[in-house]
Amino acid sequence: MGRGNPLIRRMNNDAQRNDHAYAGQSQYGRNPNAPHGGGDAAYGQAPSAASLNQMYNAPSAPPADTQRATMDDVVVKTLSMLGLIAVGGAVGWFLGGIAALFGIIGFVLALVVIFKRKTSPALVMSYAVCEGLFLGGISRVFETQFGGIVLMAVVSTLVVFLGMLALYAKAGVRITGKAAKVLAIGMVAYLVFIVGNLIFGAFTGSSMRDVTVFGIPLGIIIGLLAVVMACACLIQDFQNIDNALRAGVPQKESWRLAFGLIVTLVWLYVEILRLLSYFMPRN
């Protein structure tokens, strides 16, 4: 689970192995007189001087012609998914406990998107809707207990996201080497804690987050560490998205790049929501 969002990382690795493979599908650099547009070398023949001259004089293929993904594509898809989450959240706000069911459905859809070889915009958008319904339901639960917590969590998530983006784009912060390994170990440890806490809760009806360490609830310590890890994952997501775009992933893959970023953002929001609950008075 290290090195940022595993989905984005895998796409980046695939793109690096197929760097510039999609550019060959463009009309640029081909001999238009060759059968099927395959150039003089399509049938094992050496290209002629005229063909080489035409290739060198042809204009460079922009992303629109090679159908490569651009940062604009990723931004648009990300905003589209956030819009679906917002709509789903508005509906989920009134569903109550049943919203947890959509969280399970969203988790299953996320696994399908991650392991499915071909990109499916319909699946990605369905995930966003289900995740929105789930977030709307749990946000209502927290808001009922802690007035104003949802607005604070939304604003905090936005501020953290913009802050990490600024650190990546302006300050040149990167997560590599030993820092990436430490993050990987931390995320595995956190996953083990989540599973252990579920088992603990099933037998005791309580949560390990309520255990105090030197008078401090373990939930605060775990929550702070989780937020820090989510922030580091955001930076690594930016890195891997940037690398994938540079390597020339096809335009349709911008849906999954956006999906990977949304997964991290949802995790960040939930952790901030949970963390804030330790500092706000109950209604």
Side-chain angles (χ1 to χ4, degrees), residues 100-259:
L101 175 63
F102 291 98
I104 299 175
I105 297 174
F107 177 74
V108 173
L109 287 175
L111 292 178
V112 174
V113 172
I114 290 173
F115 292 106
K116 185 178 175 63
R117 296 299 299 176
K118 294 185 178 180
T119 302
S120 174
L123 282 177
V124 172
M125 289 186 286
S126 297
Y127 162 81
V129 172
C130 289
E131 203 66 23
L133 291 168
F134 168 67
L135 292 179
I138 65 170
S139 295
R140 175 67 180 273
V141 172
F142 275 89
E143 184 68 21
T144 301
Q145 299 180 51
F146 311 95
I149 191 173
V150 171
L151 179 59
M152 289 184 63
V154 171
V155 172
S156 298
T157 302
L158 179 60
V159 170
V160 171
F161 173 78
L162 294 177
M164 294 304 102
L165 182 60
L167 286 177
Y168 174 77
K170 302 298 182 180
V173 174
R174 301 293 185 270
I175 306 295
T176 58
K178 291 183 178 180
K181 293 179 181 179
V182 171
L183 177 60
I185 295 172
M187 293 183 68
V188 171
Y190 183 62
L191 179 60
V192 171
F193 171 80
I194 291 176
V195 175
N197 192 38
L198 288 175
I199 298 175
F200 179 80
F203 285 97
T204 66
S206 58
S207 172
M208 288 191 292
R209 295 177 184 271
D210 297 328
V211 176
T212 59
V213 179
F214 299 110
I216 302 175
L218 184 60
I220 293 179
I221 299 173
I222 295 295
L224 288 172
L225 291 175
V227 169
V228 170
M229 288 191 294
C231 290
C233 284
L234 277 177
I235 291 181
Q236 287 197 324
D237 288 347
F238 298 147
Q239 290 176 220
N240 291 325
I241 288 174
D242 197 14
N243 290 336
L245 294 179
R246 290 176 185 275
V249 296
Q251 191 176 52
K252 194 174 183 180
E253 293 298 327
S254 60
W255 276 107
R256 286 207 290 189
L257 289 172
F259 164 80

